[in-house]
Amino acid sequence: MLPLSGSPSSLIPVVMLLCRTRMVVGVGSKSIAGSFIEVVEQQGLPGLWAGNTINMLRIIPTQAIELGTFEYVKRAVASTQEKMEEKGGLDLKIGNVSMNLSLSWVSPVAVAGAAAGIAGTLVCHPLEVLKDRLTVSPDIYPSLRVALRKIFQDGGVRAFYAGLSPTLVGMLPYSTSYYFIYETTKKSYCSAKKKKSLNRPEMLLIGALAGFTASTISFPLEVARKRLMVGALQGKCPPHMAAALAEVVREQGLTGLYRGWGASCLKVMPSSGITWMFYEAWKDILLADRPLQ
């Protein structure tokens, strides 16, 4: 079930992903149109799909792991909360101090969203490294086979986890807000319209909104993360995320923190909307717990 939910969104042309990555790391033009033209001039039309093979291979396991983790953790946290409420909370005693701990303030959706991002990142980070190398430096890494060989020769297995720490830092706010916004908006909308579930166009729109909002909130961290991951290729790699953010502000001003944001939204919104629409559709079909709309 889960792998299928991620596949349709990966069919969107990778040109927006390519333009976003180039703009974020400071390669070439500062505009979407400029990046588009530069890629075509330098690499021809096939260059617009540079890194698409690895992106297709990356999106399926990433979405499967994230969505599966999200559903499992959300249900586990909600179940734990219910059991604790039935028992009147958790009694703790530290020395002479006694207290009653309640988890009612914890959002199962937010916790599950964070867990989903962490799980997906830990398992699929090497594929993200490969995608970025193929996208930003196709002259150095002309194919997946060459990229695998060169990265391993340069740093062994550890090289495939370059930038893992900043990726996790950047992923947490995105993943948490992404899942939280989708679930909260879906429930609020259904409550306002007095509906039990969304129809397919509504899922598409709310999924796109969740992707847009989460991307906007966390985009400066994405800029810093990309700088760290591909900085070594340009001969200048900031030592940590704070330094990467400071470097961007120093070179480009505060607006530099959102360089590539437009291209990111054009990629994230349809991808997010399609992913949620197909995921919910497959849940309806396989679980058969409510009629399709």
Side-chain angles (χ1 to χ4, degrees):
M1 175 179 70
L2 295 175
L4 292 174
S5 68
S7 299
S9 65
S10 64
L11 298 179
I12 298 173
V14 77
V15 60
M16 286 300 107
L17 178 62
L18 175 63
C19 290
R20 179 191 68 167
T21 302
R22 288 171 62 89
M23 292 169 70
V24 165
V25 300
V27 174
S29 176
K30 296 182 179 181
S31 68
I32 297 174
S35 293
F36 184 94
I37 293 171
E38 282 183 354
V39 172
V40 173
E41 289 179 343
Q42 296 170 8
Q43 305 171 40
L45 287 176
L48 295 175
W49 277 264
N52 192 41
T53 300
I54 189 63
N55 188 54
M56 294 284 286
L57 294 174
R58 178 188 68 88
I59 197 68
I60 295 175
T62 300
Q63 290 286 281
I65 293 167
E66 284 193 7
L67 290 169
T69 301
F70 173 72
E71 290 289 350
Y72 177 81
V73 174
K74 180 178 68 173
R75 295 172 187 175
V77 173
S79 176
T80 301
Q81 286 180 326
E82 290 178 2
K83 291 178 181 179
M84 288 187 65
E85 288 179 5
E86 291 175 359
K87 297 178 180 179
L90 179 64
D91 293 321
L92 294 177
K93 187 173 183 180
I94 304 176
N96 296 324
V97 179
S98 298
M99 63 181 71
N100 183 268
L101 180 64
S102 173
L103 293 180
S104 59
W105 56 273
V106 176
S107 169
V109 174
V111 173
I118 292 173
T121 298
L122 289 176
V123 175
C124 301
H125 187 73
L127 296 176
E128 180 76 8
V129 171
L130 283 167
K131 177 183 69 66
D132 284 340
R133 299 292 177 92
L134 289 167
T135 300
V136 177
S137 301
D139 52 332
I140 301 176
Y141 305 97
S143 67
L144 179 58
R145 179 178 298 179
V146 172
L148 284 167
R149 185 178 69 251
K150 286 183 67 66
I151 293 174
F152 183 77
Q153 288 175 345
D154 291 343
V157 175
R158 292 184 61 182
F160 290 97
Y161 285 89
L164 178 61
S165 296
T167 297
L168 289 172
V169 172
M171 175 57 69
L172 276 175
Y174 174 82
S175 183
T176 303
S177 57
Y178 175 62
Y179 287 96
F180 182 80
I181 290 168
Y182 177 78
E183 287 283 322
T184 303
T185 305
K186 180 177 73 172
K187 289 182 180 179
S188 298
Y189 182 83
C190 288
S191 177
K193 296 293 184 179
K194 297 181 179 179
K195 301 173 63 173
K196 290 185 178 180
S197 62
L198 301 173
N199 57 38
R200 301 301 174 236
E202 289 168 342
M203 291 175 188
L204 183 67
L205 290 174
I206 292 177
L209 174 64
F212 168 79
T213 308
S215 180
T216 301
I217 291 172
S218 62
F219 197 76
L221 295 176
E222 174 71 2
V223 172
R225 183 176 75 86
K226 292 292 186 183
R227 279 290 183 106
L228 289 168
M229 289 185 69
V230 301
L233 301 178
Q234 301 174 327
K236 52 174 185 177
C237 186
H240 47 72
M241 182 168 282
L245 288 169
E247 181 182 277
V248 173
V249 173
R250 184 173 60 254
E251 294 177 357
Q252 305 171 28
L254 291 174
T255 56
L257 296 176
Y258 279 89
R259 183 181 179 184
W261 173 77
S264 179
C265 289
L266 290 175
K267 185 266 178 186
V268 168
M269 290 178 68
S271 176
S272 176
I274 292 171
T275 294
W276 279 114
M277 184 178 69
F278 275 83
Y279 176 64
E280 297 281 14
W282 277 109
K283 282 176 66 177
D284 287 346
I285 293 171
L286 297 179
L287 298 179
D289 57 350
R290 59 180 183 271
L292 286 173
Q293 298 185 25

